Amino acid sequence: MAWFLPLGPPLAGQVAGTVDLGASVVEYDGFLVSGAAVFAPAFRFDAANLSLGTQASLTIFESGNRIFQATAGAAWLTPPGKWWLIEFSGSIGASKYANQTAFGHVVGRTRLHVLSDRVGGWVAGTTGGSFGQTTSVPVEIAVGGWTVRDRFAFVGTATTTWLNDDGHLDLLGAARWLGDRVELEVRAAARPWAQSAGGVGEARSGIYGDVSANIVLDERISLAVSGGSYPSDPVRRVLAAKYVTVGLRLTIVGSESAPIPTVAGAVYRAARDDVLPDRDAAARLEVAPSGEPRTLRVFASQATSVELMGDFTDWRPVALTLVTPTLWEARLSVAPGVHRVNVRINGGAWFAPAGTRVEETEFGGVVGVLVVP
């Protein structure tokens, strides 16, 4: 994706692109079951405090009718205070089925986060515009909280939404568990109150929930399984549905290159430290602030070999050279920007060294995020 966009090598470590190809069996209320083929590209850019993303999908039914959907979003975090930070985000999306009227939305959100190492919460407000046969101004108010304990993360949210004379209240709880080769997430939701005049994405009260699992089969292959139900979203014109999906994820270039978040994903990164080795004791990474190629230094005591790999090595291991009894070095071409990197000591497991921020990957591993000035 970086080559096609002409962002160039300096931003290669911050860019990820994917293409999904699949087949579906779809049944709408009152319609016959229909097979469909799905083509879905996605693109993501991550910097230290900024994330941009877009994804689209084209679904072609047996009848020849098509659904086209596209969404783009962005989020920016202010520099954190002692116990708080502010997030500004927004999204724009549209969908069209056959020759029917297209529907879409443009919304923006402001969220105040209050957080510590293992617990936190937020208050958020969202508004914008929803368009289709008519144009409406939605208003969403949400509160949430999270906590992380060892390999578990828990999230709870309450959201009230108004769109013209329609309104509803959603309560959501999510739990995520990380095993050595299995990642499991369970979500339960209730819509105890809904007031709706009907129409596309009509809000109805009910109980919803789903379960998803990612099972690592090999270094570059994992099995993704999920199923359940979700409610309608009148603001974004999403219909309620039940679903089951099974798929294989194949990574062609670097299994550590592109972490994929889920509803509980972003809140439990700190919990990874509980399942990592003592990073400060095992290894600490430093990068020279200037020069080309740059000098990368790993401080590791009682090491007989040190290796490093990252997006700037195409995820190929590079052996470092011993300089002093505790200092190992390598000179590599590393462009300015945000990069992902891991190290290995004495041929052991790969881990995120001290001096980097830990992120999870879709393959159940971790990777260190490094900002190169």
Side-chain angles (χ1 to χ4, degrees):
M1 293 298 295
W3 284 104
F4 284 106
L5 285 173
L7 294 177
L11 297 179
Q14 300 165 269
V15 175
T18 63
V19 175
D20 289 351
L21 302 174
S24 300
V25 177
V26 182
E27 180 181 3
Y28 287 110
D29 290 341
F31 292 87
L32 296 176
V33 175
S34 176
V38 181
F39 171 76
F43 168 80
R44 180 174 169 181
F45 168 83
D46 288 306
N49 287 51
L50 173 69
S51 290
L52 307 174
T54 181
Q55 65 180 40
S57 66
L58 175 63
T59 305
I60 304 175
F61 292 94
E62 293 178 48
S63 63
N65 288 333
R66 303 181 178 190
I67 293 179
F68 176 75
Q69 297 173 308
T71 304
W76 179 71
L77 296 172
T78 64
K82 184 176 181 180
W83 49 266
W84 63 272
L85 60 83
I86 299 175
E87 172 191 352
F88 299 98
S89 62
S91 68
I92 180 171
S95 63
K96 181 170 175 48
Y97 171 67
N99 58 357
Q100 296 185 9
T101 303
F103 294 96
H105 72 274
V106 179
V107 297
R109 179 177 68 180
T110 300
R111 186 156 61 165
L112 171 64
H113 295 265
V114 179
L115 48 94
S116 64
D117 289 341
R118 291 290 184 268
V119 66
W122 68 83
V123 178
T126 302
T127 188
S130 178
F131 59 86
Q133 295 176 336
T134 60
T135 301
S136 306
V137 177
V139 176
E140 290 182 347
I141 303 297
V143 296
W146 58 266
T147 184
V148 289
R149 292 293 183 272
D150 298 326
R151 293 174 179 242
F152 288 90
F154 302 93
V155 183
T157 66
T159 305
T160 180
T161 303
W162 289 95
L163 185 66
N164 294 338
D165 295 329
D166 298 345
H168 61 270
L169 171 66
D170 287 328
L171 305 176
L172 169 68
R176 193 179 189 190
W177 175 76
L178 175 71
D180 292 332
R181 301 183 68 85
V182 178
E183 184 177 328
L184 179 66
E185 186 167 339
V186 179
R187 292 177 290 271
R191 182 168 285 175
W193 169 78
Q195 171 184 304
S196 179
V200 176
E202 175 185 1
R204 298 177 181 177
S205 59
I207 303 296
Y208 305 89
D210 57 5
V211 178
S212 62
N214 193 65
I215 304 168
V216 178
L217 304 178
D218 186 72
E219 182 182 357
R220 298 181 184 276
I221 303 175
S222 68
L223 175 67
V225 182
S226 62
S229 62
Y230 54 84
S232 63
D233 183 347
V235 174
R236 298 161 184 84
R237 305 284 180 165
V238 175
L239 300 175
K242 300 179 178 67
Y243 76 97
V244 174
T245 178
V246 179
L248 284 176
R249 289 179 177 167
L250 309 177
T251 295
I252 298 174
V253 181
S255 63
E256 305 292 347
S257 57
I260 296 179
T262 58
V263 67
V267 305
Y268 86 122
R269 288 173 181 164
R272 296 288 182 151
D273 290 334
D274 296 333
V275 299
L276 287 174
D278 185 341
R279 298 197 299 153
D280 291 303
R284 177 167 54 87
L285 174 64
E286 292 184 358
V287 180
S290 61
E292 183 57 34
R294 292 181 186 256
T295 300
L296 285 79
R297 301 182 179 93
V298 173
F299 296 87
S301 60
Q302 299 179 345
T304 57
S305 68
V306 176
E307 296 170 279
L308 175 149
M309 69 175 180
D311 49 51
F312 47 86
T313 71
D314 293 329
W315 296 103
R316 295 184 177 91
V318 174
L320 276 66
T321 301
L322 180 63
V323 178
T324 73
T326 60
L327 174 61
W328 300 73
E329 284 189 356
R331 290 178 61 80
L332 299 171
S333 179
V334 184
V338 179
H339 294 279
R340 291 168 174 84
V341 61
N342 274 348
V343 300
R344 178 166 64 178
I345 305 298
N346 301 336
W350 292 97
F351 65 95
T356 63
R357 176 171 58 85
V358 180
E359 268 192 7
E360 76 278 6
T361 74
E362 72 272 32
F363 282 81
V366 295
V367 65
V369 178
L370 176 70
V371 179
V372 177

